[in-house]
Amino acid sequence: MSELESEYRLDYFAENGFERQTCSSCGAHFWSRAERDTCGEPPCEDYGFIDDPGFDESYSLAEMREAFLSFFEEHDHERIDPAPVAANRWRDDVLLTQASIYDFQPHVTSGESPPPANPLVVSQPCIRMQDIDNVGKTGRHTMAFEMGGHHAFNADEGTDYAYEGEVYWKDQCVEYCEDFFASMGVPREEITFIEDPWVGGGNAGPAFEVIYKGLELATLVFMMLEQDRDGEYEMKDGNTYSEMDRRVVDTGYGIERWTWMSQGTPTVYEAIYPESIEFLKDNAGIDMTEEEQDLVHRASKLAGHMDIDEAEDMEAARDNIAERLDVSVERLEALMEPLESIYAIADHARCLAYMFGDEIVPSNVGTGYLARMVLRRTKRLVDDVGIDVPLDELVDREAERLGYENRDTIRDIVRTEERKYEETLERGRRKVQQLADDHAAAGTPIPTEKLIELYDSHGIQPSMVAEIAHERGAEVNEPDDFYSLVAERHDAEEALEEGGEDENRVEDLPETDQLYYEDQDRMEFEAVVLDVLDREEGYDVVLDQTMFYPEGGGQPADHGTLVSEDGSVEVVDVQMRDGVILHRTTGSPEKGEFVTGKIDAERRRRLMQHHTATHIVGAAARRVLGDHVRQAGAQKGVDSSRLDVNHYDRVSREEVREIERVANEMVTDNTSVRQEWPERHEAEAEHGFDLYQGGIPPGENIRLIHVGDDVQACGGTHVDRTGDVGTIKVLNTEPVQDGVERFVFAAGPAAIEATQDTEDALYDAADTFDVNPQEVPDAAERFFTEWKERGKTIEDLKSQLAEARAGGGEDAEEVEIDGATAVIQRIDADADELQATANALVEEGKVAVVGSGADGSAQIVVGVPDGVDIDAGEVIGELARTVGGGGGGPPDFAQGGGPDVDALDEALEEAPDVLRRQKQAA
């Protein structure tokens, strides 16, 4: 009997006729109402729902999410809002949100803080980098996904936790799960519960994988053990565990998989990305015969065997599938690999939309590195499969679906990263050539570790290394799970930059003495250089002590200089790793020499003012709006700062004025800003968990900042007295999401500058309107009304002009296209007039190809009337390529363009031939 076997023998199973059985294929133990030979999960069984949906109704992803949340709401769970995908915003041990339970770790699961509701239900967007190599291949894996979770937090009566008593435990959890299946029309006897003990983060417990028709749809984890060298339970990680006095129900329902099950599509990707998959397939020119489509359908049912985590060898797994389908491996790969790439592109585009939508910035550090890795892999896949659509457009399509409002920034990030990637590849190619020559001469393959280093330092994909190596007579050892291995190196907060010897050197260095806590007004100090680490961009200098504040707690790093006998170097960034402070510099001082550090005093003082002002604004908001207001996020700056707070309603203008008044009253009171370092439990006992407005700091002793009656755990730099803040001006408020309001404010000289900028804008507007500043609002409203009326008049005139042009003009060319009349015309007008002219021609029953070179770029519009068998989207694709761009649209109306205005006439000259080819192809 296994250590946990008794924990799986539920009363619910006994009362409902379940039997514990053993899978004849994999040997796993499972529970089912019906007698079965296998556990039901691939590779023991194939998917049983492809072309045969497993639920009574078909659901979209949004509909399935709502069905899940509503079911548990009806069963006394409170629905809560999901957290961002960047988990490192509220915890320091992970980077990305990988499960709904992450929302409540470590403070709720440890019992230190109460949950937002108990029990609760949430649908949490997640990103699992370790699944990256499976995406596209298994038909079921997505890197970006929503995990539906219903959670209950239990603790023994009389314990000293933030919650106590039993909400519900294993039997009720399993019953809820079965009832949800049944609500979808699933026969209960077709569900299997596989025993799969869970271990993670120092905790463990029994768990069930819930399988239906070959697909794992839910995982039920019962967190009840904690690591203990004297514990009675030995778990699969080799450690021993003992029972806790807390018990957490941690469930995960893959909303995408439930959606897939309801539709029975060949893969999960067609179920959750239907428009994207069709768009990408069309653009890549993937057009299969009925026989090929049938083969893909049959292969989809076996795709579960392609799981990199399960299959010992991916080539052998593909061979096995080909043999079962009675087709050659070569033909199967030729059909499946382009599709697998398209599936991965669709998934990765959504993953990038989540990352950049939640304001992750690509970098060589932490979440930024993971975002960069996904983007570069996506770029390579797009190029390999031949998709002629800009990557920023693909990501933007997903960002729009997800409702992100920072789409312009998202597109700019993607374009900038693509440019950096091309530059990096050019530099790295020479290094690969030299490496390949060395290994070819030695007769040894390029090892996996070298592939990872090349990817880390230069972004070079292993397939490109293999191409160059082949040209130079060298071999490459590329593992099937390459990207998962890369992600493992960076899927933790400690993954700062290039791995290897440098990071080991940092770990061996003593912690840096943090002088900025001793005297926050001191701007100069002396130190010894302990080490200098060479980075891709500059150097990381480690000192024995420093006054430079490292980035943290929403406060940017100090800048300044390090001066030695040989000169000075600029300090452009400061980061801390495990107590060691890394000063990013433009030059390299010598190891062992003495340096004088000089802080940029103006920058430091402004940051101190804004950090103290953040505490003041938060305290003022609580006083005006209520004690429920808590910090949901903050970012300090030199010119302005922002504070996000939890609040159930929009903040009115009157409330903003009152918050601003209270905040400045605290400033003029000129109270002392005091710091202390009490023991953590003493601080919590005296001040409660509201201490952690800006996150939970590590360590037994925590630094508290007192600003009047406001007390918070904080590691930032502050002014000595509130009067030193100068003044506080709230610049803007906006809702970040339902229940979260953002305050943007400025403090000290920045507040004066912001006010003057606003006044300057007001006076400029007054001069423009030729009125007094107080009269600007009325004048602006009057001019705006007149402008709208003139706009309507202009639109009417444009329509009349378009109709006149459509009736025939000296620049219009009318041609016959196999019985249809087409007009090709250049008018050099704006986009609205271009479309109006095309529409007027289409209304006359003519095919329209209208071009413009206005505004410094070439624009083309193609319109096709009903009954004419020409695809406008295909036509615009060919014409737009001539002007160096792209475009698209539905068959009846499409538009596009490019930067090459000089080639516009050439494109229009090609239009008749392009139209004829399209007509004949149809």
Side-chain angles (χ1 to χ4, degrees):
M1 177 182 288
S2 66
E3 292 272 10
L4 284 176
E5 181 179 336
S6 62
E7 295 295 331
Y8 292 109
R9 296 189 177 277
L10 308 185
D11 291 340
Y12 181 78
F13 285 161
E15 294 166 1
N16 289 278
F18 283 80
E19 291 187 7
R20 187 173 191 255
Q21 303 169 60
T22 302
C23 179
S24 62
S25 178
C26 68
H29 296 296
F30 64 93
W31 295 81
S32 176
R33 293 172 182 262
E35 187 173 339
R36 301 175 55 92
D37 185 47
T38 69
C39 62
E41 185 178 27
C44 304
E45 286 190 23
D46 301 332
Y47 297 150
F49 61 95
I50 306 299
D51 299 324
D52 182 21
F55 299 154
D56 286 346
E57 297 180 20
S58 176
Y59 292 79
S60 68
L61 182 63
E63 291 168 342
M64 183 57 74
R65 178 195 308 119
E66 183 57 36
F68 172 80
L69 294 170
S70 296
F71 175 88
F72 283 96
E73 273 189 317
E74 292 166 4
H75 289 78
D76 301 322
H77 290 66
E78 183 173 329
R79 182 190 304 207
I80 68 166
D81 293 329
V85 297
N88 62 341
R89 292 184 183 176
W90 70 88
R91 51 188 294 187
D92 56 12
D93 58 333
V94 295
L95 295 176
L96 297 171
T97 308
Q98 298 189 41
S100 57
I101 195 65
Y102 276 42
D103 299 4
F104 317 108
Q105 292 172 321
H107 42 286
V108 176
T109 55
S110 67
E112 292 182 359
S113 299
N118 201 9
L120 59 82
V121 63
V122 63
S123 185
Q124 173 62 49
C126 299
I127 296 175
R128 283 190 179 173
M129 298 297 298
Q130 59 265 43
D131 287 335
I132 188 170
D133 292 293
N134 271 326
V135 174
K137 292 182 172 64
T138 65
R140 71 178 187 271
H141 279 94
T142 59
M143 187 164 54
F145 64 96
E146 288 188 48
M147 177 178 285
H150 58 96
H151 301 279
F153 303 90
N154 309 288
D156 291 348
E157 296 286 351
T159 52
D160 192 25
Y161 297 123
Y163 49 86
E164 66 177 6
E166 182 122 327
V167 180
Y168 67 81
W169 191 226
K170 293 180 293 184
D171 290 273
Q172 183 64 68
C173 180
V174 171
E175 183 174 359
Y176 279 142
C177 181
E178 264 211 324
D179 287 348
F180 183 56
F181 271 95
S183 73
M184 295 287 158
V186 174
R188 296 175 187 260
E189 62 272 12
E190 295 186 22
I191 307 169
T192 59
F193 293 83
I194 301 175
E195 298 177 9
D196 184 30
W198 171 85
V199 173
N203 294 114
F208 291 113
E209 293 179 352
V210 189
I211 313 297
Y212 172 58
K213 284 185 173 287
L215 187 64
E216 180 185 347
L217 290 174
T219 302
L220 313 178
V221 174
F222 305 103
M223 194 186 303
M224 56 174 285
L225 305 175
E226 59 187 353
Q227 194 168 326
D228 179 359
R229 67 175 59 187
D230 299 321
E232 59 181 301
Y233 296 96
E234 182 174 350
M235 302 300 288
K236 57 187 177 183
D237 63 349
N239 294 312
T240 55
Y241 292 76
S242 59
E243 292 189 20
M244 300 188 297
D245 49 9
R246 303 180 313 281
R247 292 166 301 285
V248 177
V249 173
D250 170 19
T251 67
Y253 294 64
I255 304 299
E256 285 80 1
R257 292 190 181 186
W258 285 78
T259 304
W260 182 26
M261 177 64 71
S262 79
Q263 296 184 25
T265 52
T267 71
V268 69
Y269 316 109
E270 282 98 351
I272 60 176
Y273 310 122
E275 299 90 355
S276 295
I277 297 300
E278 285 306 311
F279 175 78
L280 293 170
K281 286 167 65 176
D282 289 345
N283 190 275
I286 295 178
D287 187 17
M288 295 184 180
T289 65
E290 289 186 9
E291 186 269 337
E292 289 172 334
Q293 291 178 8
D294 177 68
L295 180 57
V296 168
H297 266 64
R298 290 189 290 131
S300 298
K301 296 180 181 180
L302 305 176
H305 298 271
M306 293 293 291
D307 191 334
I308 288 173
D309 298 327
E310 303 291 340
E312 293 184 5
D313 182 275
M314 293 303 290
E315 288 187 14
R318 183 86 80 184
D319 290 346
N320 180 58
I321 293 175
E323 183 178 348
R324 292 183 60 178
L325 296 174
D326 194 23
V327 66
S328 70
V329 174
E330 292 74 19
R331 186 176 183 216
L332 183 62
E333 287 181 343
L335 282 174
M336 297 303 299
E337 288 185 351
L339 280 177
E340 290 168 355
S341 293
I342 280 176
Y343 297 151
I345 291 166
D347 172 79
H348 292 5
R350 183 168 70 150
C351 182
L352 290 170
Y354 273 133
M355 287 176 153
F356 299 147
D358 281 346
E359 300 177 347
I360 294 175
V361 178
S363 69
N364 289 330
V365 181
T367 54
Y369 177 87
L370 298 177
R372 176 167 288 169
M373 185 182 83
V374 176
L375 187 145
R376 290 178 173 181
R377 184 174 195 256
T378 311
K379 172 63 175 171
R380 181 70 175 183
L381 289 170
V382 165
D383 292 344
D384 286 349
V385 83
I387 291 174
D388 186 25
V389 180
L391 182 56
D392 63 293
E393 180 180 328
L394 297 179
V395 176
D396 180 62
R397 289 165 65 96
E398 295 303 320
E400 181 179 18
R401 290 190 182 98
L402 294 171
Y404 284 113
E405 297 180 356
N406 57 337
R407 289 168 53 201
D408 289 342
T409 301
I410 292 172
R411 296 192 75 151
D412 192 40
I413 288 174
V414 175
R415 287 192 292 263
T416 301
E417 273 299 298
E418 283 190 276
R419 187 189 72 246
K420 290 181 179 179
Y421 183 33
E422 295 297 332
E423 295 170 355
T424 302
L425 286 179
E426 186 58 35
R427 294 195 302 269
R429 182 178 291 273
R430 294 186 293 272
K431 186 167 185 176
V432 176
Q433 291 171 342
Q434 181 60 53
L435 181 67
D437 288 343
D438 293 343
H439 281 274
T444 57
I446 299 176
T448 298
E449 188 60 29
K450 284 293 182 183
L451 292 180
I452 294 177
E453 288 180 13
L454 285 169
Y455 187 86
D456 266 355
S457 58
H458 297 285
I460 299 176
Q461 313 277 343
S463 57
M464 179 176 288
V465 178
E467 290 174 11
I468 297 173
H470 180 72
E471 294 170 0
R472 304 214 167 221
E475 298 294 327
V476 172
N477 281 339
E478 180 186 352
D480 294 319
D481 59 347
F482 173 78
Y483 292 97
S484 299
L485 294 174
V486 175
E488 284 178 8
R489 300 183 69 174
H490 295 267
D491 197 11
E493 193 64 48
E494 291 77 17
L496 288 178
E497 277 205 358
E498 303 90 23
E501 295 180 3
D502 283 353
E503 298 315 313
N504 291 332
R505 284 163 56 185
V506 172
E507 292 174 0
D508 293 338
L509 292 169
E511 292 187 3
T512 310
D513 190 5
Q514 301 167 26
L515 302 178
Y516 44 82
Y517 285 145
E518 298 175 8
D519 184 354
Q520 297 176 90
D521 292 319
R522 182 178 167 192
M523 300 296 166
E524 191 169 313
F525 68 99
E526 292 185 347
V528 176
V529 177
L530 300 183
D531 207 345
V532 179
L533 309 177
D534 191 352
R535 297 303 193 192
E536 188 176 338
E537 298 178 3
Y539 304 86
D540 277 347
V541 177
V542 180
L543 308 174
D544 65 330
Q545 59 182 8
T546 188
M547 286 295 304
F548 282 95
Y549 179 80
E551 181 181 11
Q555 179 174 327
D558 283 335
H559 291 176
T561 58
L562 294 178
V563 182
S564 65
E565 292 182 355
D566 297 328
S568 66
V569 296
E570 290 186 26
V571 177
V572 296
D573 190 23
V574 187
Q575 299 289 331
M576 180 187 290
R577 181 187 176 201
D578 294 335
V580 177
I581 295 178
L582 307 173
H583 304 74
R584 178 60 57 90
T585 62
T586 56
S588 174
E590 293 295 324
K591 181 177 178 179
E593 73 175 327
F594 286 91
V595 294
T596 299
K598 297 183 178 181
I599 312 297
D600 181 335
E602 176 66 15
R603 176 183 172 86
R604 162 70 78 81
R605 289 193 183 97
R606 283 183 171 235
L607 289 172
M608 290 165 64
Q609 288 172 320
H610 277 99
H611 203 144
T612 304
T614 300
H615 289 228
I616 293 173
V617 171
R622 281 190 292 279
R623 190 180 302 179
V624 173
L625 301 177
D627 291 338
H628 63 277
V629 170
R630 297 188 74 253
Q631 179 176 315
Q635 181 62 50
K636 293 81 180 177
V638 174
D639 298 318
S640 66
S641 294
R642 60 173 170 81
L643 173 67
D644 298 340
V645 300
N646 297 112
H647 184 51
Y648 54 81
D649 201 359
R650 284 301 323 274
V651 180
S652 68
R653 177 60 189 157
E654 290 74 18
E655 289 169 332
V656 170
R657 290 170 64 92
E658 181 63 11
I659 290 169
E660 191 173 77
R661 186 195 67 78
V662 171
N664 282 288
E665 186 178 84
M666 294 176 67
V667 170
T668 55
D669 285 346
N670 199 29
T671 57
S672 173
V673 178
R674 182 169 57 89
Q675 66 171 330
E676 62 169 329
W677 292 83
E679 196 270 337
R680 174 187 295 275
H681 296 295
E682 292 177 1
E684 291 174 349
E686 182 175 355
H687 301 289
F689 290 105
D690 280 345
L691 284 173
Y692 305 125
Q693 294 285 322
I696 302 178
E700 294 182 9
N701 289 83
I702 58 177
R703 180 173 181 253
L704 300 186
I705 295 295
H706 297 253
V707 183
D709 294 333
D710 181 77
V711 184
Q712 294 184 37
C714 178
T717 57
H718 291 268
V719 298
D720 288 334
R721 307 187 70 86
T722 58
D724 296 335
V725 169
T727 191
I728 295 173
K729 180 64 182 174
V730 178
L731 307 178
N732 183 38
T733 63
E734 59 183 357
V736 178
Q737 55 181 283
D738 186 29
V740 177
E741 291 287 303
R742 171 167 293 171
F743 291 84
V744 179
F745 59 92
I752 303 299
E753 293 162 4
T755 302
Q756 290 173 339
D757 289 343
T758 302
E759 289 178 345
D760 288 345
L762 178 62
Y763 277 94
D764 288 345
D767 289 343
T768 300
F769 290 134
D770 194 23
V771 297
N772 293 324
Q774 292 79 5
E775 298 171 337
V776 166
D778 291 338
E781 184 176 0
R782 184 176 69 253
F783 276 97
F784 181 68
T785 301
E786 294 174 359
W787 173 78
K788 284 197 297 184
E789 292 301 321
R790 288 174 181 170
K792 292 178 182 177
T793 302
I794 291 170
E795 289 302 317
D796 291 341
L797 292 173
K798 282 185 176 180
S799 296
Q800 296 173 28
L801 179 60
E803 291 174 5
R805 281 182 166 149
E810 59 183 18
D811 294 329
E813 177 187 3
E814 193 167 289
V815 296
E816 291 298 316
I817 309 292
D818 295 340
T821 301
V823 175
I824 293 91
Q825 189 174 12
R826 175 169 177 167
I827 63 173
D828 286 339
D830 62 26
D832 291 340
E833 192 171 339
L834 206 63
Q835 294 177 20
T837 302
N839 287 333
L841 288 167
V842 170
E843 287 177 5
E844 294 179 6
K846 298 175 181 179
V847 178
V849 181
V850 187
S852 169
D855 300 325
S857 65
Q859 302 176 67
I860 305 172
V861 173
V862 177
V864 179
D866 293 339
V868 178
D869 205 4
I870 292 176
D871 189 323
E874 296 291 338
V875 173
I876 201 68
E878 289 197 46
L879 299 181
R881 278 195 289 273
T882 303
V883 296
D892 61 338
F893 192 87
Q895 54 189 336
D900 193 351
V901 179
D902 295 336
L904 177 59
D905 289 336
E906 178 186 344
L908 295 176
E909 289 172 5
E910 294 174 356
D913 291 336
V914 174
L915 291 170
R916 290 189 181 97
R917 286 198 301 272
Q918 280 296 316
K919 189 78 164 57
Q920 292 166 1

